Amino acid sequence: MSDQSIEVRRAELAALIEGRSDEEITRGVEERGVEGVLDGVFQGMAEAFLPHKAAGQSAVVQYDVTVAGEPHTYQLKIAGGRCEMVKGRADTPRVTLTLALPDFLRVVAGKLPPVQAFMTGKLKLQGDMMIATAMQGWFPQGGSGGR
């Protein structure tokens, strides 16, 4: 996928959530279909992966994205210069990131810096915090979120 199409998709996501409350974001995603939206976001993350930035690293990063109190679980499996999106729980994730849907979308769109999300309790980490920090560089950074 070209960098331009990644940026276009990120801009579309940012426009979808810009200025909207958590409830409005959640309602909008539910109207579009939660699974379809999340599948698209995680597939986009896998496609945007920058293998040269993660040289020699391998990790299973699990995301628990909560919608109306119910977790939707995805994994990004990073190994051998590739990133693969897998739905469902990992047996032994290196790190698990838990966020509510609106905050997850804000982080992905570049509207909420991950460190700020963590420091304010919107992002919860379990496992290897060093990988969580390092992996920020494994994906293009952009948008106007201060990342």
Side-chain angles (χ1 to χ4, degrees):
M1 172 175 289
S2 74
D3 288 344
Q4 182 178 7
S5 62
I6 291 167
E7 286 307 312
V8 167
R9 288 167 72 177
R10 185 188 296 250
E12 289 171 352
L13 177 59
L16 178 72
I17 64 175
E18 187 71 41
R20 291 186 170 73
S21 69
D22 289 359
E23 294 78 18
E24 290 169 326
I25 293 170
T26 300
R27 190 169 44 252
V29 170
E30 287 173 340
E31 288 169 1
R32 289 169 178 79
V34 173
E35 293 296 318
V37 169
L38 288 176
D39 287 357
V41 170
F42 280 102
Q43 191 58 48
M45 290 172 71
E47 292 169 5
F49 177 67
L50 302 170
H52 63 282
K53 299 278 189 168
Q57 292 285 341
S58 66
V60 175
V61 180
Q62 179 171 301
Y63 288 82
D64 291 335
V65 180
T66 58
V67 182
E70 180 181 327
H72 295 259
T73 302
Y74 288 78
Q75 306 166 43
L76 292 179
K77 291 186 172 188
I78 296 153
R82 296 178 36 101
C83 180
E84 175 189 7
M85 182 271 283
V86 178
K87 290 173 81 165
R89 294 203 162 294
D91 289 335
T92 54
R94 188 128 170 226
V95 65
T96 299
L97 307 162
T98 303
L99 299 104
L101 173 69
D103 295 320
F104 169 72
L105 294 176
R106 288 181 183 114
V107 168
V108 171
K111 298 296 180 186
L112 175 61
V115 172
Q116 181 182 340
F118 178 73
M119 298 301 282
T120 58
K122 294 178 179 183
L123 166 62
K124 293 178 180 43
L125 289 175
Q126 185 174 11
D128 189 340
M129 184 178 281
M130 296 305 288
I131 283 294
T133 302
M135 67 177 269
Q136 291 180 61
W138 299 351
F139 300 91
Q141 303 298 304
S144 57
R147 291 176 31 184

